[in-house]
Structure formats: C-alpha cells, structure tokens
C-alpha cells in the first residue's frame, strides 16, 4: 500500500492500493475516529450502476464497519456541477437528520468530489467528508488539496470553498472500467504535475507512453508522484495566496475551452491544449530558456505521444474573453503559469489587453 501524508490545516492520508475497496470501511472508521456514524455515500448514476449495488464491495465494506449507511445519486456529467445539486444534497441530509457528527463520502470522479466536498463544507457550517476517487483525473489531482465547488453561468468553479477531506482512498482497480478518453483526462493532470515539480513523471510518461494504461502498478506510481507534487505545494500555500497558483498550469485557458465548447471538450483534453498554448507562447516570447530538448519540444512530444488534440476551433479573441472570466483573472491582468524548465514552472501577469496576442502566439496554425 502507498501512503502519502498531507499536512495542512487538517492532517490526512492518501491511501493507494489495488483492492483497497474491501478495507474502505475500516479505513474510513479510523479516519473519522467515531463509531456508528451516519454516512452518506454520494455518487453519480454511472458509478452507482457499476459499483454501488446493495451487495457491492464498497457498500458491504461500509456496512460491515458499522456505519448507518445512506446513498445519494445524482445525474452524471458537468451539467450537474451546480449549486442546485449541492442544495439537493443538503436537503437530503436534513431529511435524514444528519448532524455535525456525521459524514459524507465522495465516490466518483472529480465532479462528484467537488460537489460532495462543497456540500460538506456548508452543511451545518462544515461536516467531515472522505474522498474516494474512481477516475485517474480525480485520483491524481482533484481529490487532494481541499478545493471544492461548482460552476455557474459565468464559468467553472466560481462558487466554492476550501474544505480538506479526512482521508483519500484510491483503488487503481476501479480504472478497469474507464474509457481511454477518461484515462487521458487523468494523464493530462499527471503530466502537468511533472512540469510543475517532478520531471521523473515526464520521463516515465514518455518511456511508457499509452501502454502505461495497461499497467495498474505503474499508474499507481504515477498517481502517487503527482499527489506528492500537489501535497508539497498545498502544504506551503493551502489557500492559493501564491505558490499554489502553479497548479493552474494550462487551466486558465482550459476552463475557457471547456466553457466555449459547452463541455464537449473534456477537462483533460482542454488542459493538454492549454499547456500546449502556454508552452509555445512562453518559448516564442523568450520566457523559457532555449536549449535542445527544452520545454516546448518536450511538451510537444508528450502531447503527441498521448495523441492530445492541439487544433482549437475557437479564436484567440474568444479564448481571451473566456479566460477573463476565470477566477485567476484580476482587475487588469491574468495570472499565466508556464513551464520554465521541466519540473519548474513560473507565473507571469499578462495584461488583459495583451492576452489575446499571447494566446494567438501559442496556437497551432
């Protein structure tokens, strides 16, 4: 079993092991520290059908641990990531008489984790929750660090709160039911972590290529490395006052791409596109050192190896306008994270009036 300790305002452990679902009840009981709690497992319709029947491994494990178990299921997809879904969850908790001593379990992908964590942060001004990611993207990124929230009509994740989980429990065997597209979503976040703080991730990804999806042990190792990068940054800057902004590599433009496509383009593909744009633009502007096997060629190799699309149908003006609605935007500028060298990213403020030209310089024409 891989264990990663996260020491922030709340100390918790990330557990990664094949077959760990069987031990989930015991681990959750130990993390919460109280027996016979009411526990509500929150999941979406897809994960519910696959893994949450009454006699499933996860449900059996939680019941055997002595929890008074409830389940809330919402329709899957980005369109459910709204304040209305969170309100429905909190209404359900009221209906079932949940108290501050009870807890939630987010069992699903990043959307489930964000929604459940936000509901936990506001119900009775905060109750505990557990992250149990079922996707590569959630396991390697969104389940760790305490960011929760929902979208609104102006953009992604503009309504939310910081609320750390009590534990993160990831079983790589859950990836067996994921499509290649969903695995690629997660790999984009893993590659992002490599550029930010661990170049060995980039070497591993290049060496193994898409074949890594067939090797759950190698995937688990990559997830652990990505989580460690994020853990180290969040430990220094839990509430995104400075260094944590580095985790937004590719995301400012990616969120715009997602919104403009009405979420037809997935988060991972959008992040890959965003990383490509900022890498090319930073190279052209001389922000990144020029050397053989530098950032831009490495970015290109990785995006090509995993066949991420780089041709974007939206204009620089459209992308710039969407980026200005991102929560990283300030009054007069937008914070752009770019790779300086492999394993080292930097932040520059780009003036609002210069953003369109910056994006244009990084597009594949």
């Amino acid at each position: 079993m891989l264990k990663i300790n996260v020491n922030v305002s709340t100390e918790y452990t990330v557990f990664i092991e094949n077959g760990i679902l069987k031990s989930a009840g015991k681990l959750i009981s130990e993390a919460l520290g109280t027996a016979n709690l009411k526990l509500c497992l929150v999941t979406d319709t897809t994960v519910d059908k696959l893994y949450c029947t009454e006699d499933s491994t996860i449900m059996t494990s939680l019941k055997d641990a002595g929890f008074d178990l409830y389940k809330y299921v919402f329709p899957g997809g980005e369109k459910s990531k709204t304040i209305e879904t969170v309100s429905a969850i909190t209404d359900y908790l009221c209906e079932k008489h949940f108290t501050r001593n009870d807890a939630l379990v987010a069992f699903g992908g990043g959307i489930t984790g964000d929604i459940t964590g936000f509901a936990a942060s506001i119900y009775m001004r905060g109750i505990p929750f557990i992250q149990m990611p079922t996707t590569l993207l959630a396991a390697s990124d969104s389940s760790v660090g305490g960011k929760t929230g929902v979208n609104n009509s102006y953009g992604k994740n503009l309504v939310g709160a910081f609320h750390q989980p009590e534990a993160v429990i990831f079983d790589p065997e859950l990836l067996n039911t994921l499509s290649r597209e969903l695995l690629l979503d997660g790999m984009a976040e893993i590659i992002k972590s490599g550029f930010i703080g661990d170049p060995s991730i980039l070497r591993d990804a290049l060496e193994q290529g898409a074949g890594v999806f067939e090797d759950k042990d190698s995937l688990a190792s990559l997830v652990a490395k990505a989580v460690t990068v994020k853990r180290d940054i969040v430990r220094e800057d839990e509430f995104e006052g400075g260094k944590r902004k580095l985790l937004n590599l590719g995301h400012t433009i990616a969120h715009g791409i997602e919104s403009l496509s009405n979420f037809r383009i997935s988060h991972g593909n959008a992040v890959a596109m965003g990383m490509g744009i900022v890498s090319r633009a930073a190279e052209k502007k001389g922000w990144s050192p020029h050397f053989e096997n530098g950032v831009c060629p490495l970015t290109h190799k990785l995006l090509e190896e995993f066949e991420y699309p780089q041709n974007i149908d939206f204009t620089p003006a459209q992308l710039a306008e969407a980026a200005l609605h991102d929560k990283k935007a300030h009054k007069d500028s937008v914070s752009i994270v770019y790779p300086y060298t492999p394993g080292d990213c930097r932040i520059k403020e780009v003036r609002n009036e210069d953003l369109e030209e910056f994006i244009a310089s990084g597009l594949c024409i």
Side-chain angles (χ1 to χ4, degrees), residues 12 81 110-118 121 129 131 141-150 157 159-165 192 230 234 237-241 244-248 251 255 326-328:
Y12 58 94
K81 193 176 174 180
I111 292 171
T112 299
D114 283 356
I115 289 171
T116 307
F118 188 35
S121 77
F129 86 111
Q131 287 273 21
D141 183 59
S142 61
S143 64
V144 176
K147 277 190 176 181
T148 72
V150 295
N157 302 321
V159 180
F162 289 97
H163 192 54
Q164 299 289 350
K192 177 203 78 173
K230 187 166 188 179
V234 172
D237 178 22
E238 183 174 358
F239 301 111
E240 202 170 39
R244 185 166 179 162
K245 293 178 182 178
L246 293 173
L247 296 170
N248 295 320
H251 282 60
H255 288 165
D326 191 82
K327 59 183 181 297
K328 273 82 72 182

Side-chain angles (χ1 to χ4, degrees), residues 49 123 159 205-206 210 264 269 350 355:
K49 291 176 184 176
Y123 183 70
V159 180
L206 271 180
R264 175 182 56 82
N269 275 331
V350 175
L355 184 59

Side-chain angles (χ1 to χ4, degrees), residues 40 145 215 264:
C40 182
D215 185 344
R264 175 182 56 82

Side-chain angles (χ1 to χ4, degrees), residues 149-163:
V150 295
N151 308 332
N152 66 11
S153 59
Y154 288 92
K156 279 181 64 80
N157 302 321
L158 294 179
V159 180
F162 289 97
H163 192 54

Side-chain angles (χ1 to χ4, degrees), residues 146-212:
K147 277 190 176 181
T148 72
V150 295
N151 308 332
N152 66 11
S153 59
Y154 288 92
K156 279 181 64 80
N157 302 321
L158 294 179
V159 180
F162 289 97
H163 192 54
Q164 299 289 350
E166 301 298 313
V168 179
I169 301 168
F170 172 53
D171 188 340
E173 290 182 2
L174 294 169
L175 302 180
N176 291 332
T177 54
L178 289 190
S179 65
R180 178 181 174 84
E181 288 72 22
L182 287 174
L183 291 170
L184 286 169
D185 272 350
M187 184 54 65
E189 292 286 1
I190 290 172
I191 290 170
K192 177 203 78 173
S193 297
F195 277 115
I196 292 170
D198 185 353
S200 75
I201 292 175
L202 307 178
R203 292 194 297 269
D204 292 347
L206 271 180
E207 287 175 7
Q208 298 179 67
V212 73

Side-chain angles (χ1 to χ4, degrees), residues 1-5 13-16 27 224 228 231:
M1 179 189 296
L2 297 171
K3 294 182 182 180
I4 302 165
N5 293 320
T13 302
V14 180
F15 300 93
I16 304 172
L27 291 171
T228 300
R231 185 273 311 275

